[in-house]
Amino acid sequence: MWTKKNRASYNRDHLWYPSDLTDEEWAFVEPLIPPAKRGGNKRSVDIRDIVNGILYVLSTGCQWRAIPKDFGKKSTIYDYFQRWVDDRTLGRLHDALYERCRDLSGREASPTAAIIDSQSVKSAEKGGPRLTRQAMMQVRRSRARSGIFL
């Protein structure tokens, strides 16, 4: 319920972009980001700007090439996004935030009950979304990188 006390905790007027992380949110997210790889040059980008850039794209739905220059190079942000998807960093981040939200709302960290409808059972019998996608779409792979996603 929106109360004066509760509404103040969701106020994002003081941030540059509404999708940016507050200092408190960054303190929770920062330990979940993997450190820079050993060897080679040191990381020359601000990881908080990278995370804010990814959150901007996810919250606004804009194209990668339309990211404001405040976040840094769009190719760098996209490369980190791809790397974190591949190594499941974003999945671990999602799970940690999900558990935190449940804890803050007074629930157990993981759900103890689930609701399954008949449609879910039908898709599980067929093999789930992976087989459905294969049946509906022919996979096309290009050797050249597509300029649309950069």
Side-chain angles (χ1 to χ4, degrees):
M1 180 171 174
W2 287 108
T3 61
K4 288 186 178 184
K5 181 181 177 185
N6 191 15
R7 188 177 297 271
S9 66
Y10 289 98
N11 184 9
R12 303 186 83 72
D13 292 340
H14 62 285
L15 300 173
W16 193 263
Y17 294 99
S19 61
D20 287 352
L21 294 173
T22 63
D23 292 335
E24 181 183 344
E25 292 166 342
W26 176 245
F28 181 77
V29 169
E30 185 178 22
L32 302 172
I33 303 295
K37 293 181 179 178
R38 292 177 22 169
N41 293 335
K42 291 186 177 182
R43 208 178 248 167
S44 61
V45 295
D46 183 14
I47 288 298
R48 186 171 181 172
D49 286 340
I50 299 295
V51 173
N52 285 335
I54 292 171
L55 289 175
Y56 180 83
V57 170
L58 295 176
S59 66
T60 62
C62 79
Q63 298 171 343
W64 286 103
R65 64 180 181 206
I67 297 174
K69 295 183 181 188
D70 302 334
F71 298 116
K73 290 176 60 177
K74 54 189 162 243
S75 60
T76 304
I77 296 170
Y78 181 76
D79 288 344
Y80 271 96
F81 175 75
Q82 282 298 114
R83 185 178 310 154
W84 290 343
V85 167
D86 291 342
D87 69 4
R88 294 276 303 135
T89 297
L90 291 181
R92 287 190 302 273
L93 183 61
H94 171 269
D95 295 343
L97 292 172
Y98 178 77
E99 290 176 4
R100 172 116 169 130
C101 287
R102 288 186 62 88
D103 285 341
L104 291 175
S105 66
R107 300 178 179 180
E108 290 186 33
S110 61
T112 56
I115 298 173
I116 301 175
D117 62 350
S118 61
Q119 191 66 34
S120 301
V121 173
K122 288 178 188 176
S123 66
E125 290 172 356
K126 293 179 183 176
R130 174 178 279 173
L131 290 178
T132 304
R133 181 171 182 216
Q134 288 177 354
M136 296 180 72
M137 297 177 60
Q138 182 180 3
V139 178
R140 287 186 257 155
R141 299 190 187 262
S142 172
R143 292 181 187 207
R145 263 185 116 163
S146 174
I148 296 172
F149 297 109
L150 296 175

